[in-house]
Amino acid sequence: MCCALVRIATSLLVIGLVVTGSPGHTASAINATIDLTTGPRRIFTPAVALGAGIDGHSQGDSAAIYRPEILRAMRSAGLGPLSYRLRTELAIEAWHWNPRGQWSDPARREGYWASDDQSDTPILASYGYRLPRRGNTIDQAENNGYSRLVDGDVTTFWKSNPYLDQRYTGEDNRRHPQWVIVDFAKRTPVNALRIAWSNPYAVRYRVQYWAGEDPQDPDEYPQGHWQNFPTGQISAGQGGNVTLRLSQRAIRLRFMRILLEESSASAPPAAKDPRDALGYAIWELHGGTLNASGQLHDVIRHGKKADRQTRLFVSSTDPWHRAIDIDKEVEQPGIDRVFSSGIRQDLPVLMAVGALYDTPDNAAALLRYLKRRGYPLRGVEIGEEPDGQYVAPEDYGALYLQIADALRAVDPAITLGGPSFQSLWDQPMMAWSGTEVAQDQPWLARFLSYLQARDRQAALGFLSFEWYPFDEVCAPPAPKLQQAPVLLRSALDELYRQGLPRAVPLYMTEYGYSAYSTQAEVDLTGALFNADTVGTFLESGGATAYLYGYEPSPIYRAPDCNTWGNNTLFLSDESRRILAPTATYHGIALLTQQWLGNPNQPHAVYSVRLTKGRAAGRLPVSAYAVKRPDGQWAMLLLNKDSKQDQVVALHFLQPLARISEPFLGPADLYQFSAAQYRWQANGEHGRPLRSRPPAHSRLASHQPVKVRLPPGSLTVIRSHQQP
């Protein structure tokens, strides 16, 4: 393979794209130039590079999805390796990956959990367990939990994660300040705060407000800074119930933060576990204004549902829980069900372990179980979306290294990585900015600095991120589709600007048009977006892209407008019975079965430069070229213009002699467009009116290739001809 590439590396292959508008009108040509002079951008094997993610769902979904007929349909897409997604981590829950295991307090069936790594009963389903010391009001799963800080219940409390204490980190606790953020939803007069401390309480802490622009959430990065209240700095806290007058006059603010800097390290009465004395704990918060007689007008809303509380965000949460906290609505597919089902197609799996709401012991037990069963692993992804859950990079780094050490004690050669970025931030996050732990830098830069300062860079065997670039699903999708490749390339460049070594492999562990529901996901737009994402990622050097939406799923409504959709290969009913393949299924199958060849052999991807006069970079076309192991050139062409046709004329250009020779047939042509697929929007009853595979035709021998690209279409052209 390498020798064949060397022989052709002295040429340029140029494909001329002639764009047509209305009948009878022909626009000037678009040229797509494949540069062979510098060799391929990268070599990849499809069975490694193109995979899919499997996730947790609701009770009973694992049994419904892992049926032979469903698994056959999923495998027919041609995707290879699996990434196991951890929904419990998004739900702020601990994961009992094995229903059998051991509590740290077995008599009461509560405490810190480690699943059994020795049991022989097959694990078909597993569940998340709600954390009764939870601090965040909202979560990113079912969102049916709530904060114990403002639940109006004096018998419940929030507690920070004890694994961020120096007993476990080996570092001064000043390296890991904890915090609570109150979001009043709008600018509100505040000059007082009442804290009902539990144990351990804060000896030294500061109460602050955000001075600057108001963002929607603390994970954004608006202009501004955290400002201490004039009398909000406490250096000798005694616990108990404390009412603080923070300023003489009320300050109008939206966000208030309690920055916790030194713990009393005091345990509650009758506590037996040393972790009970580590971190910080608060029963309840009240805030607002003090009147002249010292009475507090509390403007914080209290309740046991997220929509009845003032929103609170915390830096971490104690993974302590009880047997009664099981959440059947967060069901993970069982380990043995996944590995024995055939869905992984004998390929190693990228496994996940909890970091934010779990323990190193539980992670190590999972790895022992997998090894004992002989299940092959690509690696282990530690945690899921810590940036989207407001976790400071240094805190995640401390938890990451503890889990890495526990896993390496089981298998010194296991590949580890993370953090499964929710978004690729390029500025400091509001939630943890100004903590004086380090200079305010983007999330990744601080995480990498944390590893480097401890000489632990080698602990990051891969960097993982998720890619859902479009939150505004109510806006027209056409302009966003044009932006997609540029946004992804810019995001990947940002990783390296923040210090990621080029040698660290990139795993895109989830991707889709949006994290929210929209028709674009089940329409042709979704197929175009996903194909564009795969092509851009491979061309940019990415190691593996895992499509999200492998399992059949119903469609759901977007929160702010009447658009229905989902990231899924197959539209299903609520029982996961397949109703129809979506455009994404046909688009992915086109890539895996026609654009690419033998999935177990290397392919070479070459860069393609599109030009049309001075319009380079603003064209509604994407083009990706691979040299397949069977010797064929395969071009993936995307016409992202939903209204205009284009005509494709292919030819070779020899750069030295500047002689243009036509690209001649025979060639295979595969096209997927509105002729094969059409979505009929009808609320929750939306369906494809037609859903057929790409059309195939054979182009004549010894004739210059000219192909019409329909509006909003995917096209693959394959030929054995050499320049």
Side-chain angles (χ1 to χ4, degrees):
M1 183 62 184
C2 65
C3 299
L5 292 175
V6 170
R7 286 199 299 271
I8 62 175
T10 58
S11 300
L12 283 177
L13 172 63
V14 174
I15 301 171
L17 301 186
V18 181
V19 181
T20 62
S22 58
H25 172 72
T26 301
S28 59
I30 298 175
N31 292 312
T33 304
I34 304 175
D35 188 354
L36 305 180
T37 61
T38 57
R41 292 290 299 269
R42 66 163 298 205
I43 306 294
F44 71 95
T45 302
V48 174
L50 295 183
I54 55 173
D55 204 353
H57 296 284
S58 297
Q59 185 177 19
D61 281 343
S62 294
I65 292 170
Y66 287 80
R67 292 179 293 173
E69 64 274 20
I70 301 295
L71 296 173
R72 282 195 299 270
M74 292 164 65
R75 289 195 298 268
S76 70
L79 295 169
L82 290 182
S83 168
Y84 190 100
R85 315 310 300 150
L86 200 52
R87 188 168 177 79
T88 57
E89 193 86 331
L90 300 183
I92 311 181
E93 297 183 353
W95 182 30
H96 289 211
W97 57 263
N98 189 344
R100 292 159 291 279
Q102 183 70 30
W103 296 98
S104 60
D105 187 349
R108 293 185 173 89
R109 300 188 70 206
E110 63 185 27
Y112 301 92
W113 171 267
S115 290
D116 184 7
D117 60 8
Q118 295 294 322
S119 64
D120 293 321
T121 304
I123 304 171
L124 302 181
S126 57
Y127 295 95
Y129 281 67
R130 296 185 178 94
L131 302 184
R133 297 173 178 178
R134 168 173 165 160
N136 286 331
T137 294
I138 58 175
D139 63 60
Q140 300 179 53
E142 299 301 322
N143 197 29
N144 55 12
Y146 56 90
S147 173
R148 272 43 173 194
L149 277 163
V150 290
D151 62 354
D153 188 341
V154 296
T155 67
T156 63
F157 59 92
W158 162 74
K159 185 172 177 293
S160 65
N161 194 330
Y163 288 92
L164 293 173
D165 185 84
Q166 59 191 9
R167 178 189 178 105
Y168 293 100
T169 65
E171 302 168 3
D172 191 308
N173 281 342
R174 287 176 293 184
R175 299 291 303 169
H176 299 281
Q178 299 298 289
W179 45 259
V180 175
I181 291 177
V182 182
D183 177 5
F184 291 98
K186 62 181 180 180
R187 288 189 175 261
T188 303
V190 174
N191 74 343
L193 176 67
R194 179 177 296 154
I195 307 175
W197 291 104
S198 182
N199 280 296
Y201 55 87
V203 173
R204 183 166 55 88
Y205 60 99
R206 287 182 279 165
V207 185
Q208 305 171 315
Y209 62 94
W210 182 256
E213 298 175 1
D214 290 341
Q216 288 298 113
D217 290 302
D219 58 0
E220 298 178 13
Y221 37 87
Q223 293 295 317
H225 64 281
W226 288 106
Q227 175 69 47
N228 294 331
F229 276 94
T231 54
Q233 301 180 65
I234 309 301
S235 58
Q238 299 295 317
N241 292 334
V242 179
T243 300
L244 304 173
R245 180 181 287 275
L246 303 171
S247 60
Q248 289 301 314
R249 293 185 177 180
I251 298 173
R252 296 186 63 83
L253 57 92
R254 174 171 174 178
F255 292 98
M256 178 172 65
R257 181 172 76 174
I258 310 169
L259 187 62
L260 308 167
E261 299 177 301
E262 183 180 344
S263 171
S264 65
S266 54
K272 297 179 180 179
D273 194 306
R275 286 167 284 197
D276 287 333
L278 305 180
Y280 306 89
I282 299 175
W283 293 107
E284 198 83 6
L285 288 178
H286 303 265
T289 54
L290 284 177
N291 61 22
S293 61
Q295 293 179 321
L296 177 65
H297 172 60
D298 185 14
V299 295
I300 292 179
R301 293 183 297 117
H302 303 258
K304 293 189 176 183
K305 290 187 176 180
D307 59 359
R308 296 181 181 177
Q309 293 184 337
T310 294
R311 289 201 309 172
L312 266 75
F313 306 89
V314 297
S315 52
S316 68
T317 291
D318 190 347
W320 186 97
H321 58 286
R322 307 158 298 183
I324 61 173
D325 294 317
I326 187 171
D327 183 2
K328 292 293 185 70
E329 290 305 308
V330 180
E331 177 185 279
Q332 294 285 145
I335 300 299
D336 296 296
R337 172 169 263 152
V338 170
F339 278 88
S340 63
S341 66
I343 188 61
R344 66 180 182 86
Q345 304 176 80
D346 295 325
L347 296 172
V349 174
L350 180 64
M351 200 61 204
V353 296
L356 308 182
Y357 311 111
D358 223 312
T359 67
D361 290 342
N362 199 35
L366 173 58
L367 184 55
R368 284 194 296 269
Y369 184 87
L370 294 167
K371 289 179 65 64
R372 190 170 68 84
R373 291 272 180 161
Y375 294 146
L377 297 180
R378 174 85 179 273
V380 177
E381 187 178 34
I382 299 176
E384 186 154 340
E385 305 180 25
D387 60 320
Q389 301 190 69
Y390 325 108
V391 176
E394 293 78 18
D395 288 357
Y396 172 75
L399 298 173
Y400 181 96
L401 291 180
Q402 290 175 58
I403 293 170
D405 290 342
L407 295 174
R408 288 276 168 81
V410 176
D411 182 356
I414 191 70
T415 300
L416 306 174
S420 185
F421 275 120
Q422 185 181 81
S423 299
L424 304 182
W425 302 109
D426 59 358
Q427 296 185 45
M429 191 184 294
M430 171 192 172
W432 40 260
S433 67
T435 57
E436 300 177 5
V437 173
Q439 291 183 348
D440 277 348
Q441 295 175 315
W443 203 100
L444 177 61
R446 283 176 61 163
F447 173 57
L448 294 173
S449 295
Y450 184 88
L451 297 182
Q452 185 175 16
R454 288 145 188 83
D455 198 23
R456 297 295 302 275
Q457 302 96 309
L460 187 66
F462 61 87
L463 185 128
S464 60
F465 69 95
E466 301 176 2
W467 187 244
Y468 300 103
F470 304 124
D471 289 346
E472 297 177 357
V473 296
C474 302
K480 298 182 183 299
L481 200 57
Q482 302 292 349
Q483 301 166 7
V486 176
L487 291 175
L488 181 53
R489 291 189 188 99
S490 176
L492 297 178
D493 289 343
E494 179 62 29
L495 295 176
Y496 299 117
R497 281 195 293 270
Q498 293 189 31
L500 181 70
R502 293 274 178 178
V504 175
L506 292 179
Y507 293 177
M508 186 160 56
T509 43
E510 293 182 24
Y511 66 91
Y513 180 87
S514 177
Y516 303 100
S517 300
T518 173
Q519 181 178 323
E521 295 158 347
V522 291
D523 215 336
L524 284 165
T525 298
L528 286 161
F529 171 85
N530 290 320
D532 225 0
T533 297
V534 168
T536 301
F537 185 68
L538 293 177
E539 189 180 70
S540 301
T544 306
Y546 295 93
L547 176 77
Y548 187 80
Y550 205 19
E551 306 104 329
S553 296
I555 56 173
Y556 299 106
R557 186 181 184 274
D560 298 322
C561 56
N562 190 30
T563 178
W564 292 70
N566 207 339
N567 288 302
T568 184
L569 293 177
F570 301 99
L571 175 67
S572 81
D573 59 17
E574 292 292 343
S575 298
R576 304 289 171 164
R577 290 175 298 201
I578 293 176
L579 302 177
T582 65
T584 288
Y585 169 81
H586 294 300
I588 289 295
L590 179 66
L591 268 62
T592 61
Q593 298 168 17
Q594 309 305 338
W595 184 49
L596 304 177
N598 189 320
N600 298 307
Q601 294 183 1
H603 291 57
V605 60
Y606 286 79
S607 60
V608 181
R609 182 169 55 90
L610 292 168
T611 58
K612 179 187 176 184
R614 298 181 180 180
R618 298 189 299 274
L619 301 171
V621 174
S622 289
Y624 303 97
V626 296
K627 189 66 182 293
R628 294 165 31 130
D630 59 7
Q632 292 192 80
W633 279 102
M635 281 293 299
L636 171 64
L637 303 170
L638 310 178
N639 179 7
K640 295 179 285 187
D641 191 322
S642 61
K643 298 179 180 179
Q644 293 217 355
D645 291 353
Q646 302 185 27
V647 173
V648 182
L650 295 84
H651 56 92
F652 294 103
L653 177 65
Q654 302 289 353
L656 298 180
R658 298 295 178 187
I659 296 175
S660 176
E661 58 181 84
F663 188 105
L664 303 176
D668 284 290
L669 174 69
Y670 299 86
Q671 285 195 326
F672 183 66
S673 68
Q676 288 74 44
Y677 188 90
R678 182 182 174 189
W679 179 265
Q680 177 64 56
N682 186 22
E684 63 181 320
H685 304 293
R687 299 286 187 273
L689 288 181
R690 54 179 172 267
S691 180
R692 300 191 290 265
H696 174 226
S697 59
R698 184 74 171 164
L699 303 182
S701 301
H702 310 300
Q703 296 295 322
V705 174
K706 290 187 178 181
V707 180
R708 169 183 169 272
L709 298 183
S713 64
L714 294 81
T715 299
V716 168
I717 304 170
R718 291 202 323 250
S719 174
H720 280 283
Q721 185 182 354
Q722 299 291 346

